[in-house]
Amino acid sequence: MKMHKWLLALLLLWAAVGTVPAMAQSGTTTVEYSSSQASAPEMADALRRDGKIYIVVIVLVSVLLGVLFYLINLDKKVSHLEKELRQ
């Protein structure tokens, strides 16, 4: 039962942190790149422009939910085995 509470707290923390806007690059310092360095991640811009970034987000969320579901089921099985060993 402790595992369920821990996973729920982790999920709530993850959701709360995901809604906070990132402030890491809000300073006034500008960095100029030379022609040999990439000025922006082209793949992310292309995915955003084409609307495919949402597919990437959906896949990532699906994978994370699948891992969470697997861990919850594994915890239930282990708890059941622990109960059997105690009896």
Side-chain angles (χ1 to χ4, degrees), residues 64-74:
L64 290 174
L65 288 176
V67 169
L68 183 67
F69 180 73
Y70 173 74
L71 288 175
I72 290 171
N73 282 338
L74 189 63

Side-chain angles (χ1 to χ4, degrees), residues 15-49:
V17 170
T19 59
V20 177
M23 303 299 279
Q25 296 180 357
S26 64
T28 59
T29 306
T30 58
V31 178
E32 294 184 22
Y33 294 98
S34 66
S35 61
S36 64
Q37 293 178 335
S39 61
E42 295 175 16
M43 184 178 71
D45 289 338
L47 288 173
R48 203 174 299 119
R49 182 180 59 242

Side-chain angles (χ1 to χ4, degrees), residues 1 5 10 30 37 39 69 84 86:
M1 192 63 168
K5 290 180 183 179
L10 183 63
T30 58
Q37 293 178 335
S39 61
F69 180 73
E84 283 184 5
R86 288 184 202 149

